[in-house]
Amino acid sequence: MTTSTSTQNSNLGAWLVLLLAGGFEIGYALSVGGSHGFTVLSWSLVAIVFFLLTLFALSVALKHIDVGIGYAVWAGIGAVGAALFGPVLFHETLTPGKAFWLAVIIAGVVWLKLADRPRKTPVPPITAGTEPQPLLGQTSNRR
């Protein structure tokens, strides 16, 4: 039972680090936009810092989360965050159509997180040299 609790705690910690990485990704995306192609020094320096932070946090999270799931969640958080904060910082437009598709991305990220939860009843591993057990109600014909 301790191993299960330990695994759940490390998985929760990995998801929290992945959320942090997503926040850094939002900062990176917005600061790249503010740098105007890395021509504004202050925004460019901020972009470099956020870039290093987001890659570090993502790499830590991916130690415990499948790469495909983790990357999709990280990219989704960055895309949604940049799309939501872009209008606030850079006077971009957020149309109802864009808002709908952002909601679809958010739903997909939540769905991926739910799909990553461990099973409640673990399936015992099959080890070499053991015979499979007959299904309930069946008898084994092997002798």
Side-chain angles (χ1 to χ4, degrees), residues 13-70:
W15 278 97
L16 291 175
V17 172
L18 184 61
L19 288 176
L20 181 64
F24 291 147
E25 177 64 10
I26 294 168
Y28 171 68
L30 293 173
S31 57
V32 166
S35 76
H36 299 288
F38 291 97
T39 59
V40 178
L41 181 62
S42 58
W43 281 100
S44 299
L45 294 174
V46 170
I48 291 168
V49 169
F50 273 121
F51 176 74
L52 294 174
L53 289 171
T54 192
L55 288 183
F56 176 74
L58 178 63
S59 68
V60 169
L62 293 181
K63 289 180 182 179
H64 301 281
I65 299 172
D66 291 342
V67 173
I69 300 293

Side-chain angles (χ1 to χ4, degrees), residues 5-143:
T5 304
S6 173
T7 302
Q8 288 175 349
N9 287 341
S10 68
N11 199 22
L12 176 63
W15 278 97
L16 291 175
V17 172
L18 184 61
L19 288 176
L20 181 64
F24 291 147
E25 177 64 10
I26 294 168
Y28 171 68
L30 293 173
S31 57
V32 166
S35 76
H36 299 288
F38 291 97
T39 59
V40 178
L41 181 62
S42 58
W43 281 100
S44 299
L45 294 174
V46 170
I48 291 168
V49 169
F50 273 121
F51 176 74
L52 294 174
L53 289 171
T54 192
L55 288 183
F56 176 74
L58 178 63
S59 68
V60 169
L62 293 181
K63 289 180 182 179
H64 301 281
I65 299 172
D66 291 342
V67 173
I69 300 293
Y71 184 79
V73 170
W74 173 75
I77 292 170
V80 169
L84 292 177
F85 288 113
V88 174
L89 296 175
F90 303 118
H91 306 292
E92 298 171 351
T93 59
L94 181 62
T95 65
K98 289 179 185 178
F100 171 77
W101 290 111
L102 290 171
V104 171
I105 292 172
I106 292 168
V109 166
V110 170
W111 198 283
L112 285 172
K113 168 58 179 121
L114 294 175
D116 191 52
R117 289 191 301 187
R119 294 181 182 173
K120 292 188 183 222
T121 56
V123 177
I126 297 175
T127 57
T130 61
E131 287 188 41
Q133 297 296 319
L135 296 175
L136 187 63
Q138 294 180 346
T139 58
S140 176
N141 292 333
R142 295 184 184 209
R143 291 187 186 184

